[in-house]
Coordinates of all heavy atoms in Angstrom, one line a residue:
M643 N 88.5 22.3 88.0 CA 87.9 21.0 88.2 C 86.6 20.9 87.6 O 85.6 21.5 88.0 CB 87.8 20.7 89.8 CG 87.5 19.3 90.1 SD 87.5 18.9 91.9 CE 89.2 18.3 92.1
P644 N 86.5 20.1 86.5 CA 85.2 20.0 85.8 C 84.1 19.4 86.6 O 84.3 18.6 87.5 CB 85.5 19.0 84.6 CG 87.0 18.9 84.5 CD 87.5 19.2 85.9
E645 N 82.9 19.9 86.3 CA 81.7 19.4 86.9 C 80.9 18.6 85.9 O 80.5 19.2 84.8 CB 80.8 20.5 87.5 CG 79.6 20.0 88.2 CD 78.8 21.1 88.8 OE1 78.2 21.9 88.0 OE2 78.7 21.2 90.1
L646 N 80.6 17.4 86.1 CA 79.8 16.5 85.2 C 78.4 16.3 85.8 O 78.2 16.4 87.0 CB 80.4 15.2 85.0 CG 81.9 15.1 84.8 CD1 82.3 13.6 84.6 CD2 82.3 15.8 83.6
W647 N 77.5 15.8 85.0 CA 76.2 15.4 85.5 C 76.0 13.9 85.1 O 76.0 13.6 84.0 CB 75.1 16.2 84.8 CG 75.2 17.7 85.2 CD1 75.9 18.6 84.6 CD2 74.6 18.3 86.3 NE1 75.8 19.8 85.2 CE2 75.0 19.7 86.3 CE3 73.7 17.9 87.3 CZ2 74.6 20.6 87.3 CZ3 73.3 18.8 88.3 CH2 73.7 20.1 88.3
I648 N 76.0 13.1 86.2 CA 75.8 11.7 86.0 C 74.4 11.3 86.4 O 74.1 11.4 87.6 CB 76.9 10.9 86.8 CG1 78.3 11.2 86.4 CG2 76.6 9.4 86.7 CD1 79.4 10.6 87.3
E649 N 73.6 11.0 85.5 CA 72.2 10.7 85.8 C 71.6 11.8 86.6 O 70.8 11.6 87.5 CB 72.1 9.3 86.5 CG 72.5 8.1 85.7 CD 71.5 7.8 84.6 OE1 70.3 7.9 84.8 OE2 72.0 7.5 83.5
G650 N 71.9 13.0 86.2 CA 71.3 14.2 86.9 C 72.0 14.6 88.2 O 71.6 15.6 88.8
R651 N 73.0 13.9 88.6 CA 73.7 14.2 89.8 C 75.0 14.9 89.5 O 75.8 14.4 88.7 CB 74.0 12.9 90.6 CG 74.7 13.2 91.9 CD 74.8 11.9 92.8 NE 75.5 10.8 92.0 CZ 76.4 10.1 92.6 NH1 76.7 10.2 93.9 NH2 77.0 9.1 91.9
A652 N 75.3 16.1 90.1 CA 76.5 16.8 89.8 C 77.7 16.1 90.5 O 77.6 15.8 91.7 CB 76.4 18.2 90.3
V653 N 78.8 16.0 89.8 CA 80.0 15.4 90.3 C 81.2 16.2 89.8 O 81.3 16.5 88.7 CB 80.1 13.9 89.8 CG1 81.4 13.3 90.3 CG2 78.9 13.1 90.3
R654 N 82.1 16.5 90.7 CA 83.3 17.2 90.4 C 84.5 16.2 90.3 O 84.6 15.3 91.2 CB 83.7 18.3 91.4 CG 82.7 19.5 91.2 CD 83.4 20.7 91.8 NE 82.6 21.9 91.5 CZ 82.6 22.6 90.4 NH1 83.4 22.3 89.5 NH2 81.7 23.6 90.3
V655 N 85.3 16.3 89.2 CA 86.4 15.3 89.0 C 87.6 16.1 88.6 O 87.5 17.2 88.1 CB 86.0 14.3 88.0 CG1 84.8 13.4 88.4 CG2 85.7 14.9 86.6
P656 N 88.8 15.5 88.9 CA 90.0 16.1 88.5 C 90.2 16.3 87.0 O 89.7 15.4 86.2 CB 91.1 15.2 89.0 CG 90.4 14.3 90.1 CD 89.0 14.2 89.6
D657 N 90.7 17.4 86.6 CA 91.1 17.6 85.2 C 91.9 16.5 84.7 O 92.7 15.9 85.4 CB 91.9 18.9 85.1 CG 91.1 20.1 84.7 OD1 90.1 19.9 84.0 OD2 91.5 21.2 85.1
G658 N 91.6 16.1 83.4 CA 92.4 15.0 82.8 C 91.9 13.6 83.1 O 92.4 12.7 82.6
S659 N 90.8 13.5 83.9 CA 90.2 12.2 84.1 C 89.4 11.7 82.9 O 89.0 12.5 82.1 CB 89.2 12.3 85.3 OG 89.8 12.7 86.5
S660 N 89.2 10.4 82.8 CA 88.3 9.9 81.8 C 86.9 9.9 82.4 O 86.7 9.9 83.6 CB 88.7 8.5 81.4 OG 88.5 7.6 82.5
V661 N 85.9 9.8 81.5 CA 84.5 9.7 82.0 C 84.4 8.4 82.8 O 83.8 8.4 83.9 CB 83.5 9.7 80.8 CG1 82.1 9.3 81.3 CG2 83.5 11.1 80.2
L662 N 85.1 7.3 82.4 CA 85.0 6.1 83.2 C 85.6 6.3 84.6 O 85.0 5.8 85.5 CB 85.8 5.0 82.4 CG 85.8 3.6 83.2 CD1 84.4 3.1 83.4 CD2 86.7 2.6 82.4
A663 N 86.7 7.0 84.7 CA 87.2 7.2 86.0 C 86.3 8.0 86.9 O 86.1 7.7 88.1 CB 88.6 7.9 85.9
A664 N 85.6 9.0 86.3 CA 84.6 9.8 87.0 C 83.5 8.9 87.5 O 83.0 9.0 88.7 CB 84.1 10.9 86.1
L665 N 83.0 8.0 86.6 CA 81.9 7.1 87.0 C 82.4 6.1 88.2 O 81.7 6.0 89.2 CB 81.5 6.2 85.8 CG 80.8 7.0 84.7 CD1 80.7 6.2 83.4 CD2 79.4 7.4 85.2
Q666 N 83.6 5.6 88.0 CA 84.1 4.7 89.1 C 84.3 5.4 90.4 O 84.0 4.9 91.4 CB 85.3 4.0 88.6 CG 85.0 3.0 87.4 CD 86.2 2.3 86.9 OE1 87.3 2.8 86.9 NE2 86.0 1.1 86.3
N667 N 84.8 6.6 90.3 CA 85.0 7.4 91.5 C 83.7 7.7 92.2 O 83.6 7.9 93.4 CB 85.7 8.7 91.3 CG 87.2 8.5 91.0 OD1 87.7 7.4 91.3 ND2 87.8 9.4 90.4
A668 N 82.6 7.7 91.4 CA 81.2 8.0 92.0 C 80.6 6.6 92.5 O 79.5 6.6 92.9 CB 80.4 8.6 90.9
G669 N 81.4 5.6 92.4 CA 80.9 4.3 92.8 C 80.0 3.5 91.8 O 79.4 2.5 92.2
I670 N 80.1 3.9 90.6 CA 79.2 3.3 89.6 C 80.1 2.3 88.8 O 81.1 2.6 88.2 CB 78.7 4.4 88.6 CG1 77.8 5.3 89.4 CG2 78.0 3.7 87.4 CD1 77.4 6.6 88.6
R671 N 79.7 1.0 88.8 CA 80.4 0.0 88.1 C 79.6 -0.6 86.9 O 80.1 -1.0 85.9 CB 80.7 -1.2 89.1 CG 81.6 -0.8 90.2 CD 83.0 -0.5 89.8 NE 83.9 -0.2 90.9 CZ 84.2 1.0 91.3 NH1 83.6 2.1 90.8 NH2 85.0 1.2 92.3
T672 N 78.3 -0.6 87.0 CA 77.4 -1.1 86.0 C 76.9 0.1 85.1 O 76.3 1.0 85.7 CB 76.2 -1.9 86.6 OG1 76.7 -2.9 87.4 CG2 75.3 -2.5 85.4
L673 N 77.3 0.0 83.8 CA 77.0 1.1 83.0 C 75.8 0.9 82.0 O 75.2 1.9 81.5 CB 78.2 1.5 82.1 CG 79.6 1.6 82.9 CD1 80.7 2.0 81.9 CD2 79.4 2.6 84.0
R674 N 75.5 -0.4 81.8 CA 74.5 -0.7 80.8 C 74.1 -2.1 81.0 O 74.6 -2.8 81.9 CB 75.0 -0.4 79.4 CG 76.2 -1.3 79.0 CD 76.8 -0.9 77.6 NE 77.7 -1.9 77.3 CZ 77.4 -3.1 76.7 NH1 76.2 -3.3 76.3 NH2 78.4 -3.9 76.4
Q675 N 73.2 -2.6 80.1 CA 72.7 -4.0 80.2 C 72.9 -4.6 78.8 O 72.8 -3.9 77.8 CB 71.3 -4.1 80.6 CG 71.0 -3.8 82.0 CD 69.5 -4.0 82.3 OE1 68.7 -3.7 81.5 NE2 69.3 -4.4 83.5
S676 N 73.2 -5.9 78.7 CA 73.2 -6.6 77.5 C 71.7 -6.7 77.0 O 70.8 -6.5 77.8 CB 73.8 -8.0 77.6 OG 73.0 -8.8 78.4
L677 N 71.6 -7.2 75.8 CA 70.2 -7.4 75.3 C 69.4 -8.4 76.2 O 68.2 -8.3 76.3 CB 70.2 -7.9 73.9 CG 70.5 -6.9 72.8 CD1 70.7 -7.5 71.4 CD2 69.4 -5.8 72.8
S678 N 70.1 -9.4 76.8 CA 69.5 -10.3 77.7 C 69.3 -9.8 79.1 O 68.9 -10.6 80.0 CB 70.2 -11.7 77.6 OG 71.5 -11.5 78.1
G679 N 69.7 -8.6 79.3 CA 69.5 -8.0 80.7 C 70.7 -8.2 81.6 O 70.6 -7.8 82.8
E680 N 71.8 -8.7 81.1 CA 73.0 -8.9 82.0 C 73.6 -7.6 82.3 O 73.8 -6.8 81.4 CB 74.0 -9.9 81.4 CG 73.5 -11.3 81.1 CD 73.2 -12.0 82.4 OE1 74.0 -11.8 83.4 OE2 72.1 -12.7 82.5
P681 N 74.1 -7.3 83.5 CA 74.8 -6.1 83.8 C 76.2 -6.0 83.1 O 76.8 -7.1 83.0 CB 75.0 -6.1 85.3 CG 74.9 -7.5 85.7 CD 74.0 -8.2 84.7
R682 N 76.5 -4.9 82.6 CA 77.8 -4.7 81.9 C 78.5 -3.5 82.4 O 78.0 -2.5 82.8 CB 77.6 -4.5 80.4 CG 77.0 -5.6 79.6 CD 78.0 -6.7 79.5 NE 77.6 -7.8 78.6 CZ 77.5 -9.0 79.0 NH1 77.7 -9.4 80.2 NH2 77.1 -9.9 78.1
G683 N 79.9 -3.7 82.5 CA 80.7 -2.6 83.0 C 82.1 -2.7 82.4 O 82.4 -3.7 81.7
A684 N 82.9 -1.8 82.6 CA 84.3 -1.7 82.0 C 85.1 -3.0 82.3 O 85.1 -3.5 83.4 CB 85.0 -0.5 82.5
L685 N 85.8 -3.4 81.3 CA 86.7 -4.6 81.5 C 88.2 -4.2 81.2 O 89.0 -4.4 82.1 CB 86.3 -5.7 80.6 CG 85.0 -6.5 80.9 CD1 84.7 -7.5 79.8 CD2 85.1 -7.1 82.2
C686 N 88.4 -3.7 80.0 CA 89.8 -3.5 79.6 C 90.4 -2.1 80.0 O 91.6 -2.0 80.2 CB 89.9 -3.7 78.1 SG 89.2 -2.3 77.1
G687 N 89.6 -1.1 80.0 CA 90.1 0.2 80.3 C 91.0 0.9 79.3 O 91.6 1.9 79.5
M688 N 91.0 0.3 78.1 CA 91.8 0.8 77.0 C 91.2 0.8 75.6 O 91.9 0.9 74.6 CB 93.1 0.1 77.0 CG 93.0 -1.4 76.7 SD 94.6 -2.2 76.7 CE 94.2 -3.7 75.9
G689 N 89.9 0.8 75.6 CA 89.2 0.9 74.3 C 88.9 -0.3 73.5 O 88.4 -0.2 72.4
S690 N 89.2 -1.5 74.0 CA 89.1 -2.7 73.2 C 87.8 -3.4 73.4 O 87.3 -4.0 72.4 CB 90.3 -3.6 73.5 OG 91.5 -3.0 73.1
C691 N 87.3 -3.5 74.6 CA 86.2 -4.4 74.8 C 84.8 -3.8 74.6 O 83.8 -4.6 74.4 CB 86.2 -4.9 76.3 SG 85.8 -3.6 77.5
L692 N 84.7 -2.6 74.5 CA 83.4 -1.9 74.2 C 82.4 -2.0 75.4 O 81.2 -1.6 75.2 CB 82.8 -2.3 72.9 CG 83.6 -2.2 71.7 CD1 82.9 -2.7 70.4 CD2 84.1 -0.7 71.4
E693 N 82.8 -2.6 76.5 CA 81.8 -2.8 77.6 C 81.5 -1.5 78.4 O 80.6 -1.5 79.2 CB 82.4 -3.9 78.5 CG 82.5 -5.2 77.9 CD 81.1 -5.9 77.6 OE1 80.1 -5.3 77.9 OE2 81.1 -7.0 77.0
C694 N 82.2 -0.5 78.2 CA 82.1 0.7 79.0 C 81.2 1.8 78.3 O 81.2 2.9 78.7 CB 83.4 1.3 79.3 SG 84.3 1.9 77.9
R695 N 80.5 1.4 77.3 CA 79.7 2.4 76.5 C 78.6 3.0 77.3 O 78.0 2.3 78.1 CB 79.1 1.7 75.3 CG 80.1 1.4 74.2 CD 79.5 0.5 73.1 NE 79.3 -0.8 73.6 CZ 78.5 -1.7 73.1 NH1 77.8 -1.4 72.0 NH2 78.4 -2.9 73.6
A696 N 78.4 4.3 77.1 CA 77.4 5.1 77.7 C 77.1 6.3 76.8 O 77.9 6.6 75.9 CB 77.8 5.5 79.1
L697 N 76.0 7.0 77.1 CA 75.7 8.2 76.4 C 76.4 9.3 77.1 O 76.2 9.5 78.3 CB 74.2 8.5 76.4 CG 73.4 7.7 75.4 CD1 71.9 8.2 75.4 CD2 73.9 7.7 74.0
V698 N 77.2 10.1 76.4 CA 77.8 11.3 76.9 C 77.3 12.5 75.9 O 77.6 12.4 74.7 CB 79.3 11.3 76.9 CG1 79.9 12.6 77.4 CG2 79.7 10.1 77.9
D699 N 76.6 13.4 76.5 CA 76.0 14.5 75.7 C 75.2 13.9 74.5 O 75.3 14.5 73.4 CB 77.0 15.5 75.3 CG 77.6 16.2 76.5 OD1 76.9 16.3 77.5 OD2 78.7 16.7 76.4
G700 N 74.5 12.8 74.7 CA 73.7 12.3 73.6 C 74.4 11.4 72.6 O 73.7 10.9 71.7
R701 N 75.6 11.1 72.8 CA 76.4 10.3 71.8 C 76.9 9.0 72.6 O 77.4 9.1 73.7 CB 77.6 11.0 71.2 CG 77.2 12.1 70.3 CD 78.4 12.8 69.7 NE 79.4 11.9 69.3 CZ 80.7 12.1 69.7 NH1 81.1 13.2 70.4 NH2 81.6 11.3 69.3
V702 N 76.8 7.9 71.9 CA 77.4 6.7 72.5 C 78.9 6.7 72.4 O 79.5 6.9 71.3 CB 76.9 5.4 71.7 CG1 77.5 4.2 72.3 CG2 75.4 5.3 71.8
V703 N 79.6 6.6 73.5 CA 81.1 6.7 73.5 C 81.6 5.5 74.4 O 80.9 4.9 75.2 CB 81.6 8.0 74.1 CG1 81.1 9.2 73.3 CG2 81.2 8.2 75.5
R704 N 82.9 5.2 74.2 CA 83.6 4.4 75.1 C 84.1 5.3 76.2 O 85.0 6.2 76.0 CB 84.8 3.7 74.4 CG 84.3 2.6 73.5 CD 85.5 2.1 72.7 NE 85.8 3.0 71.6 CZ 86.8 2.8 70.7 NH1 87.5 1.7 70.8 NH2 87.0 3.7 69.8
T705 N 83.5 5.1 77.4 CA 83.8 6.1 78.5 C 85.3 6.0 78.9 O 85.8 7.0 79.4 CB 82.9 5.8 79.7 OG1 83.1 4.5 80.2 CG2 81.5 6.1 79.4
C706 N 86.0 4.9 78.7 CA 87.4 4.8 79.1 C 88.3 5.7 78.2 O 89.4 6.0 78.6 CB 87.9 3.4 79.1 SG 87.9 2.6 77.5
L707 N 87.8 6.0 77.0 CA 88.6 6.8 76.1 C 88.1 8.3 76.0 O 88.7 9.1 75.2 CB 88.5 6.2 74.7 CG 89.1 4.8 74.5 CD1 89.0 4.4 73.1 CD2 90.6 4.8 75.0
T708 N 87.1 8.6 76.8 CA 86.5 9.9 76.6 C 86.9 10.8 77.8 O 86.6 10.5 79.0 CB 85.0 9.8 76.6 OG1 84.6 8.9 75.6 CG2 84.3 11.1 76.5
P709 N 87.6 11.9 77.5 CA 88.1 12.8 78.6 C 86.9 13.6 79.1 O 85.9 13.9 78.4 CB 89.1 13.7 77.9 CG 88.8 13.6 76.5 CD 88.2 12.3 76.2
V710 N 86.9 13.9 80.4 CA 85.9 14.7 81.0 C 86.0 16.2 80.5 O 87.1 16.7 80.2 CB 85.9 14.7 82.5 CG1 85.7 13.3 83.1 CG2 87.2 15.3 83.1
R711 N 84.8 16.8 80.4 CA 84.7 18.2 80.1 C 83.7 18.8 81.0 O 82.7 18.1 81.3 CB 84.3 18.4 78.6 CG 85.5 18.2 77.6 CD 85.0 18.7 76.3 NE 83.5 18.7 76.3 CZ 82.8 18.0 75.4 NH1 83.3 17.3 74.5 NH2 81.5 18.0 75.5
D712 N 83.8 20.0 81.3 CA 82.9 20.7 82.2 C 81.5 20.7 81.5 O 81.4 21.0 80.4 CB 83.3 22.1 82.5 CG 82.6 22.8 83.6 OD1 82.4 22.1 84.7 OD2 82.2 23.9 83.5
G713 N 80.5 20.3 82.3 CA 79.1 20.4 81.8 C 78.6 19.2 81.1 O 77.5 19.1 80.6
Q714 N 79.4 18.1 81.0 CA 79.0 16.9 80.3 C 77.8 16.3 81.0 O 77.7 16.3 82.3 CB 80.1 15.8 80.2 CG 81.1 16.1 79.2 CD 82.3 15.1 79.3 OE1 82.7 14.7 80.4 NE2 82.8 14.7 78.1
H715 N 76.9 15.6 80.2 CA 75.8 14.9 80.8 C 76.0 13.4 80.4 O 76.1 13.1 79.2 CB 74.5 15.4 80.3 CG 74.1 16.8 80.8 ND1 73.2 16.9 81.9 CD2 74.5 18.0 80.5 CE1 73.2 18.2 82.2 NE2 73.9 18.9 81.3
I716 N 76.0 12.6 81.4 CA 76.2 11.2 81.2 C 75.0 10.4 81.6 O 74.4 10.6 82.6 CB 77.4 10.7 82.1 CG1 78.7 11.4 81.6 CG2 77.6 9.2 81.9 CD1 79.7 11.5 82.7
T717 N 74.5 9.6 80.6 CA 73.3 8.8 80.8 C 73.7 7.3 80.7 O 74.3 6.8 79.8 CB 72.3 9.1 79.7 OG1 72.1 10.5 79.7 CG2 71.0 8.4 79.9
L718 N 73.3 6.5 81.7 CA 73.6 5.1 81.8 C 72.3 4.3 81.4 O 71.2 4.9 81.4 CB 74.0 4.7 83.2 CG 75.2 5.6 83.8 CD1 75.4 5.2 85.2 CD2 76.4 5.3 83.0
F719 N 72.5 3.1 81.0 CA 71.4 2.2 80.6 C 70.5 2.8 79.5 O 69.3 2.7 79.5 CB 70.5 1.9 81.8 CG 71.3 1.2 82.9 CD1 71.7 1.9 84.0 CD2 71.6 -0.1 82.9 CE1 72.4 1.3 85.0 CE2 72.3 -0.8 83.9 CZ 72.7 0.0 85.0
A720 N 71.2 3.5 78.6 CA 70.4 4.2 77.6 C 70.1 3.3 76.4 O 70.8 2.3 76.1 CB 71.3 5.4 77.0
E721 N 69.0 3.6 75.7 CA 68.7 2.9 74.5 C 69.8 3.1 73.5 O 70.5 4.1 73.4 CB 67.4 3.6 73.8 CG 66.1 3.3 74.6 CD 65.7 1.8 74.6 OE1 65.9 1.2 73.6 OE2 65.3 1.4 75.7
G722 N 70.1 2.1 72.7 CA 71.1 2.1 71.7 C 72.5 1.8 72.2 O 73.5 1.9 71.5
V723 N 72.6 1.4 73.5 CA 73.9 1.1 74.0 C 74.0 -0.4 74.4 O 74.8 -0.8 75.1 CB 74.2 2.0 75.3 CG1 75.7 1.8 75.7 CG2 73.9 3.4 75.0
H724 N 73.1 -1.2 73.7 CA 73.1 -2.6 74.0 C 74.2 -3.3 73.1 O 74.7 -2.7 72.2 CB 71.7 -3.2 73.6 CG 70.6 -2.7 74.5 ND1 70.6 -3.0 75.8 CD2 69.5 -2.0 74.2 CE1 69.5 -2.4 76.3 NE2 68.8 -1.9 75.3
D725 N 74.4 -4.6 73.4 CA 75.2 -5.4 72.5 C 74.5 -5.6 71.2 O 73.3 -5.4 71.1 CB 75.4 -6.8 73.2 CG 76.2 -6.8 74.4 OD1 77.0 -5.9 74.5 OD2 76.0 -7.6 75.3
R726 N 75.3 -5.9 70.2 CA 74.7 -6.1 68.9 C 74.8 -7.6 68.5 O 75.5 -8.3 69.0 CB 75.5 -5.3 67.8 CG 75.4 -3.9 68.1 CD 76.3 -3.1 67.1 NE 76.5 -1.7 67.6 CZ 75.7 -0.7 67.2 NH1 74.7 -0.9 66.5 NH2 75.9 0.5 67.7
Ligands
FES194 S1 86.7 -0.5 79.2 FE1 87.0 -1.7 77.4 S2 86.5 -0.3 75.9 FE2 86.3 0.9 77.6

């Protein structure tokens, strides 16, 4: 069972989960803000809407398409994850 770090908090999730599922299981729905400060979170769950972006190990990813790996560090509300 992989252990992730979400905003510095250790969370264990089932193998095969997406990062988005790990976040939602931890009760996290808002992942970032728009440029105007509106809260943003996952909508489609299949890689189309781009609303689930977050930093995973320093890279901007769509969390719904990113599988969990042991030791990942997830950062929410990060610079560079705004709307364009
Ligand atoms: S939830 Fe839409 S791209 Fe991830």
Side-chain angles (χ1 to χ4, degrees):
M643 190 174 266
E645 182 180 64
L646 315 180
W647 296 88
I648 301 174
E649 295 290 320
R651 180 173 58 136
V653 176
R654 288 204 174 272
V655 297
D657 264 330
S659 298
S660 67
V661 170
L662 178 60
L665 290 165
Q666 290 178 334
N667 286 343
I670 296 168
R671 299 289 185 268
T672 303
L673 309 183
R674 61 187 190 86
Q675 290 182 323
S676 68
L677 284 174
S678 61
E680 298 294 319
R682 294 289 190 239
L685 291 176
C686 72
M688 60 183 195
S690 298
C691 72
L692 305 178
E693 295 292 355
C694 67
R695 288 171 286 161
L697 282 187
V698 176
D699 294 334
R701 292 183 38 232
V702 178
V703 301
R704 288 174 284 181
T705 58
C706 67
L707 297 181
T708 304
V710 296
R711 284 190 338 239
D712 195 45
Q714 281 174 322
H715 289 262
I716 299 157
T717 306
L718 306 174
F719 302 99
E721 291 292 321
V723 191
H724 294 299
D725 291 332
R726 296 177 198 267

